[in-house]
Amino acid sequence: MSGLPVRASEVHEGAPPCPVHPYGFHQRAQVREEGARTVFRPAPVHGLPARCALLEEELMESERELDLLDELWRREHAAPGHGLAILGVTVTVAVVVALVLTGVATAGVVLATLAGGLAVVGLDRADRALHDSRLARVRDWHRRVGTPR
C-alpha cells in the first residue's frame, strides 16, 4: 500500500488537493461496487478519469483491477466514432436546405455549403483528437494495471 489515507486527502484540512482532478472530485468514492458495468463513476468526455495516486489506492482497495483491465481492453478496441462529424453534416444539410427553400441567392447557399464543409472537417478532427486522448488515458491506466495477454 502507498500509505495514502482510506479517503481522499483533500477532505482533511490543510492537505493539498489532488494535482490531477478538480477540488471535490475525491470527496466521494469514484470506484463503483462489484458488478457495475464500468469500474469508475461517470467521467468527463474521455470516459475514464485521469490516473492519480488516490484513484489507484481506491482501485486497489476495491480489488477491481481485473475488471478495469477488461474495461480498458474494450475501450482500446472500440472503433472511433464520427458523431461530431455526422452532427456537422446534419446541421449543414439542414441549413443549406433551409436557405434553398427560403430563396436565398446561390452565392449564399454556396458560401453556407463551404462553411459547413469546413465545420465538418473541424469537427472530424476534434473527434479524432478526442479519440486519441481517450486512448492515451487507456494506455496510462495500462501502465498501472498491466495489459491483457
Side-chain angles (χ1 to χ4, degrees), residues 90-101:
T90 305
V91 170
T92 300
V93 168
V95 167
V96 168
V97 167
L99 290 175
V100 168
L101 291 177

Side-chain angles (χ1 to χ4, degrees), residues 28-129:
R28 70 177 201 171
Q30 294 299 315
V31 176
R32 291 181 161 181
E33 58 282 342
E34 186 73 31
R37 189 176 65 81
T38 59
V39 174
F40 294 111
R41 295 208 177 280
V45 69
H46 297 286
L48 283 171
R51 194 175 138 205
C52 74
L54 296 171
L55 277 179
E56 288 179 12
E57 182 72 20
E58 192 174 336
L59 183 65
M60 282 179 33
E61 289 174 0
S62 70
E63 297 178 355
R64 293 206 60 199
E65 289 180 320
L66 291 178
D67 295 336
L68 179 61
L69 191 60
D70 292 339
E71 183 179 341
L72 293 175
W73 185 91
R74 283 192 319 270
R75 290 182 186 272
E76 190 173 26
H77 290 85
H82 299 288
L84 291 177
I86 292 170
L87 177 67
V89 168
T90 305
V91 170
T92 300
V93 168
V95 167
V96 168
V97 167
L99 290 175
V100 168
L101 291 177
T102 58
V104 174
T106 305
V109 173
V110 169
L111 187 62
T113 304
L114 290 175
L118 289 174
V120 168
V121 169
L123 288 171
D124 187 50
R125 288 188 179 190
D127 222 3
R128 193 172 309 131

Side-chain angles (χ1 to χ4, degrees), residues 12-30:
H12 302 295
E13 189 173 332
C18 174
V20 178
H21 298 105
Y23 186 81
F25 179 82
H26 294 287
Q27 287 183 340
R28 70 177 201 171
Q30 294 299 315

